[in-house]
Amino acid sequence: VQEKEKEDEEKKEEDKKEEAGSQKPSPVKRSRSACRSVMLQSLVKLFFGCLAAVTCGMMYAVYLYTYHERKFWFSSRQELEREITFQGGSGLYYYYYKHMLTAPSFERGIYELMRDNRTVSGQTINAVERLSLYPELITSLLYRITGSQDVIEPVYFYIGVVFGLQAVYVTALFVSSWVMSGTCVAGILAVAWYVINRPDTTKVDYAIPLRDNWALPYFSCQVAALTGFLSNNVNSASEMFCYLLMSATTFTFILVWEHSHYVLFVQGLALFLLDSFDLVPPRKVLTYCPPKLFSLFLAYVLQFQNPALLSSPLLSLLISSVLARYFQVERASDLLCGTKCKYKNIDENIQWVLFLRDFVTNRLLCQECFQTPSQDFFLRLTQASVLPFYLLVLLICLISTLQTIYRRLSGEPMKTNLRLEDGRIGEQPEVIYHVFHTMLFGALAMVFEGMKYLWTPYVCMFTAFGVCSPELWVTLFRWLRLKSIHPVVLALILSTAVPTIIGFSLWREYFPRVIAELSELQEFYDPDTVELMNWIKTHAPMAAVFAGSPQLLGSVKLCSGWTVTSLPLYSDIDLLRRSEDTYQVYAMRSAEDVYKILSLHKTSYVIIEESLCNELSHTKGCRIKDLLDIANSHVVYDKGEMYSFSKHGRFCHEIKMNYSPYTNYFSRVFWNRSYHVYKVNSVISFQY
């Protein structure tokens, strides 16, 4: 009995020990709980990051809408005055949007645009192809199918879509900076710099419907998706999402903007450099090329067999990259040489054309976008503190990238799992891509001012990433070999302190300016143009054809719908030649010559603008009068000075004298301080 009692007591003690042991978590359970906590933290971080990105985008859209309302008093103006705010080519795009809404059906509207014989005199044009009207087609379709007719006016829906795309633009910049730096603070700082430097980052302030404003948000999304796709720290699901987003935005970007393939060519060069030095996994390069090739082919079909896409350098670069990767031969350089030689003759032809005394060529070269950037541009970036930090960040990333390239050429493999204490910012593929990206676009921006709208937004994003990235500061301190304090600790401190100081200084200096912009009521009113448009709508017959400057004719087409002789387009050589003909009213030509030119285009009325007839410009030789005199050989050079000379006086001055023979060919029917409208006589009456 005693032995049995002892056995029972031992058994109870063993049971107690087993129960106590079962209460302690096993190593597997501890690892699972740790993974769950890490996953929960990452999800919370992702949620708040996405919330911050979307909030920044929405606030920027509201800011643009409020600024537009304050600038133009848009809600308190009549329809004609609202339409005048769409100046030049912008008005033409909005006209076709209105036309799609007034058409009996969406299909009928597309049919009329593809066979448009009521816009350019004597021509039937495919307006969808000539003007890249897919944004207007999609917007008008959305306006119809969403039932917005009873909720919002067409003009507010149109500009609202553009402002919404700008919100997407800002959100994509936020995400790009966030992905590279790992902190949302970088995204907020990038958006702040973008808004502060708004005159140099976007054209949406003064020309809402431009193709740039429709297309660049898609390019920004494509860059953000590409940044995530190139990252080594992305899982398979996120990589597939980035791949699909990159493919969709690439196609949309090519479809919306006719110059998009040149931008993608520069991007392709940056990726080609990454592939050449094996700085990115080969499979990612191979999966990057097919979406672009497919997008080019599909856009070629939808843009009515646009030959510019087939002859673009982007297509040759993509084919060369794919062949070089698939065959792994040493003829890759030969392929690129063949591409270069293919376009060598084109470059020589362009250089030869530039030396011609051609009005169209000289006028294009005199455009502001083809001029070199002014000192004010760099001064504005410096005052906003973005340029000094950009140079610092670019220098560190570039040196680290060159070190990585040297190690790759020496046979050392790249690390895929980098630690913070490694201090190798230049071994991250997404960072290397953005280094090449910003340098290539920056080189173009130093030559052409128009490229600043592509370069400056990514300067803001890249700089914000750099100052908020601990990896960049660790890289710098590893080079300096600090011993007094641990480099990682100092990097974490500076990656928080520097953005905080920058943000506080920007808030203190620029936030009052932004509030002042929104609170200040500006007045945009052009009574002379309103009076001219009202006269055209009430006095000109329906079959009338108007001639004048292309920018003014865009407004005439929008406000009245009357036929014009030319359109404000710079990509159509035929329309540019027509514009040269109508500009002859500002040249030193005889009344008979001008009458013959205008009659050739079936002109009923010609509009002469005082601003062009008496144009003053600091750019010597770039006034319309100067370009016409050079093209017509009415220029005499004496001791380095240029003088205009002709046996005829300047037409726009002489016709106002009401003397013969000008009164024989033209009759003035309207005038005010800014415009003079003359009817082109169908029957010449000789008066002496």
Side-chain angles (χ1 to χ4, degrees):
V1 173
Q2 292 178 355
E3 290 178 357
K4 189 175 182 180
E5 290 178 354
K6 288 181 180 180
E7 290 178 358
D8 292 339
E9 291 178 359
E10 291 177 357
K11 189 175 182 180
K12 289 180 181 179
E13 291 179 358
E14 290 178 357
D15 292 339
K16 290 180 180 179
K17 290 180 180 179
E18 290 179 358
E19 291 178 359
S22 62
Q23 292 177 358
K24 295 181 180 180
S26 62
V28 176
K29 291 184 178 180
R30 286 199 299 267
S31 63
R32 288 179 180 176
S33 61
C35 291
R36 289 175 183 174
S37 62
V38 171
M39 185 179 297
L40 182 61
Q41 291 177 1
S42 62
L43 288 176
V44 171
K45 182 180 178 181
L46 178 63
F47 172 76
F48 283 104
C50 293
L51 181 63
V54 173
T55 303
C56 288
M58 293 179 63
M59 291 179 62
Y60 181 63
V62 172
Y63 165 74
L64 287 178
Y65 176 81
T66 307
Y67 178 77
H68 181 262
E69 175 66 27
R70 293 288 184 176
K71 182 177 181 179
F72 296 108
W73 295 17
F74 211 69
S75 60
S76 60
R77 296 200 180 274
Q78 299 179 356
E79 183 179 2
L80 178 63
E81 297 173 348
R82 290 178 181 175
E83 292 177 350
I84 289 177
T85 61
F86 295 102
Q87 300 178 1
S90 303
L92 197 60
Y93 296 122
Y94 182 68
Y95 163 78
Y96 285 108
Y97 167 74
K98 284 201 317 178
H99 177 80
M100 288 296 300
L101 296 181
T102 56
S105 64
F106 182 74
E107 295 79 8
R108 181 64 183 177
I110 294 180
Y111 177 83
E112 292 177 353
L113 292 187
M114 293 175 62
R115 294 165 178 81
D116 184 11
N117 57 1
R118 295 182 296 178
T119 297
V120 181
S121 61
Q123 285 189 359
T124 299
I125 64 172
N126 185 343
V128 180
E129 178 185 3
R130 288 276 187 99
L131 286 86
S132 301
L133 293 180
Y134 280 104
E136 282 68 32
L137 297 182
I138 297 173
T139 307
S140 61
L141 179 62
L142 290 176
Y143 189 76
R144 286 174 179 266
I145 64 178
T146 55
S148 303
Q149 295 87 342
D150 301 328
V151 180
I152 187 173
E153 296 182 41
V155 63
Y156 284 107
F157 187 84
Y158 186 77
I159 65 176
V161 172
V162 180
F163 290 158
L165 286 176
Q166 303 310 305
V168 174
Y169 196 169
V170 166
T171 303
L173 292 176
F174 184 106
V175 172
S176 297
S177 188
W178 174 25
V179 168
M180 289 196 296
S181 64
T183 173
C184 299
V185 178
I188 298 174
L189 186 59
V191 173
W193 267 327
Y194 179 89
V195 176
I196 290 171
N197 296 280
R198 194 182 69 255
D200 302 311
T201 55
T202 179
K203 301 178 183 177
V204 76
D205 282 359
Y206 56 89
I208 293 177
L210 287 182
R211 303 300 87 177
D212 312 21
N213 298 330
W214 289 94
L216 291 182
Y218 296 106
F219 179 65
S220 183
C221 290
Q222 192 254 13
V223 172
L226 180 59
T227 302
F229 181 74
L230 293 175
S231 177
N232 291 326
N233 300 324
V234 63
N235 55 37
S236 58
S238 301
E239 183 177 321
M240 179 57 64
F241 172 76
C242 292
Y243 177 78
L244 295 176
L245 179 61
M246 182 175 60
S247 303
T249 51
T250 299
F251 164 70
T252 310
F253 180 54
I254 296 176
L255 183 66
V256 170
W257 195 22
E258 58 185 356
H259 303 304
S260 58
H261 56 91
Y262 296 113
V263 178
L264 293 176
F265 171 70
V266 178
Q267 183 189 69
L269 287 178
L271 291 170
F272 178 77
L273 292 175
L274 264 75
D275 187 33
S276 300
F277 296 108
D278 288 333
L279 301 176
V280 65
R283 64 176 184 85
K284 292 192 176 184
V285 178
L286 287 177
T287 54
Y288 165 80
C289 293
K292 277 194 174 182
L293 289 172
F294 180 74
S295 300
L296 276 174
F297 172 75
L298 191 57
Y300 170 77
V301 175
L302 293 178
Q303 290 182 356
F304 308 94
Q305 292 78 47
N306 184 5
L309 294 180
L310 293 183
S311 61
S312 66
L314 173 63
L315 182 60
S316 299
L317 178 64
L318 291 176
I319 294 176
S320 302
S321 300
V322 171
L323 292 178
R325 264 297 168 191
Y326 270 115
F327 295 106
Q328 292 293 327
V329 295
E330 296 181 357
R331 290 185 55 81
S333 59
D334 297 336
L335 290 170
L336 292 178
C337 181
T339 303
K340 182 178 179 181
C341 296
K342 178 180 178 181
Y343 292 95
K344 183 178 179 181
N345 294 332
I346 297 178
D347 296 337
E348 291 177 354
N349 292 336
I350 292 175
Q351 293 176 1
W352 179 74
V353 169
L354 295 181
F355 289 102
L356 292 178
R357 288 190 172 186
D358 183 76
F359 173 82
V360 172
T361 304
N362 291 335
R363 183 175 170 232
L364 291 176
L365 292 176
C366 283
Q367 296 296 313
E368 184 180 356
C369 61
F370 288 106
Q371 306 299 317
T372 56
S374 61
Q375 294 181 355
D376 295 338
F377 167 60
F378 300 102
L379 182 61
R380 288 191 297 268
L381 293 182
T382 304
Q383 290 176 343
S385 72
V386 63
L387 187 59
F389 283 104
Y390 167 74
L391 295 176
L392 174 64
V393 172
L394 179 62
L395 181 62
I396 296 173
C397 292
L398 180 59
I399 295 176
S400 182
T401 300
L402 294 177
Q403 289 179 343
T404 303
I405 294 174
Y406 176 76
R407 285 192 289 265
R408 292 295 295 123
L409 295 177
S410 301
E412 181 181 342
M414 287 186 63
K415 289 186 177 181
T416 56
N417 297 321
L418 291 172
R419 299 175 301 172
L420 177 60
E421 54 269 19
D422 291 336
R424 293 186 178 184
I425 190 71
E427 287 198 15
Q428 300 179 18
E430 67 275 18
V431 174
I432 303 173
Y433 159 70
H434 278 285
V435 169
F436 292 146
H437 178 105
T438 187
M439 289 181 63
L440 290 174
F441 281 101
L444 293 174
M446 297 302 103
V447 181
F448 306 112
E449 186 172 3
M451 289 297 297
K452 70 179 182 181
Y453 298 106
L454 277 167
W455 179 60
T456 312
Y458 296 98
V459 167
C460 300
M461 182 273 297
F462 188 75
T463 309
F465 138 73
V467 298
C468 297
S469 174
E471 289 84 356
L472 183 134
W473 294 107
V474 171
T475 303
L476 177 61
F477 296 145
R478 285 293 183 188
W479 294 342
L480 299 178
R481 298 181 180 179
L482 293 179
K483 297 181 180 179
S484 58
I485 188 172
H486 198 280
V488 175
V489 176
L490 185 58
L492 292 174
I493 294 174
L494 288 181
S495 63
T496 303
V498 173
T500 303
I501 296 173
I502 294 174
F504 179 75
S505 62
L506 293 179
W507 176 277
R508 182 178 180 181
E509 182 175 356
Y510 289 96
F511 183 73
R513 300 184 187 182
V514 173
I515 297 300
E517 284 183 348
L518 299 181
S519 60
E520 181 182 359
L521 288 175
Q522 304 181 35
E523 184 175 1
F524 177 85
Y525 187 59
D526 191 353
D528 294 340
T529 305
V530 173
E531 186 181 6
L532 172 65
M533 299 305 166
N534 283 324
W535 182 89
I536 292 174
K537 294 176 67 174
T538 56
H539 292 82
M542 291 290 295
V545 177
F546 282 84
S549 67
Q551 287 71 24
L552 180 61
L553 293 182
S555 300
V556 170
K557 185 63 182 176
L558 169 62
C559 299
S560 65
W562 267 237
T563 306
V564 295
T565 58
S566 183
L567 297 176
L569 294 178
Y570 295 101
S571 57
D572 192 305
I573 188 63
D574 180 63
L575 292 176
L576 289 172
R577 294 299 180 192
R578 280 174 162 259
S579 300
E580 180 183 3
D581 291 342
T582 56
Y583 271 131
Q584 294 298 325
V585 296
Y586 304 103
M588 294 185 291
R589 303 286 293 269
S590 65
E592 183 179 2
D593 290 343
V594 176
Y595 178 81
K596 289 179 179 179
I597 293 173
L598 295 178
S599 299
L600 183 64
H601 298 298
K602 302 179 181 180
T603 306
S604 305
Y605 297 90
V606 58
I607 306 174
I608 296 178
E609 302 174 52
E610 287 291 337
S611 59
L612 293 179
C613 189
N614 302 307
E615 184 178 5
L616 298 176
S617 176
H618 297 291
T619 306
K620 188 175 182 180
C622 276
R623 298 178 301 177
I624 294 297
K625 298 183 294 184
D626 299 334
L627 298 177
L628 289 169
D629 293 341
I630 294 173
N632 296 334
S633 299
H634 294 161
V635 173
V636 176
Y637 293 94
D638 183 20
K639 297 180 181 180
E641 295 293 331
M642 183 179 69
Y643 301 97
S644 300
F645 174 78
S646 175
K647 63 179 180 180
H648 302 288
R650 199 165 297 279
F651 180 87
C652 61
H653 291 309
E654 297 295 327
I655 194 173
K656 298 173 187 175
M657 304 297 180
N658 290 328
Y659 294 152
S660 178
Y662 296 93
T663 55
N664 300 337
Y665 299 99
F666 305 95
S667 303
R668 188 167 64 178
V669 293
F670 171 83
W671 69 93
N672 57 25
R673 293 177 302 175
S674 301
Y675 305 101
H676 294 258
V677 181
Y678 291 88
K679 181 179 180 181
V680 180
N681 297 330
S682 56
V683 179
I684 303 176
S685 59
F686 290 94
Q687 302 174 6
Y688 299 95

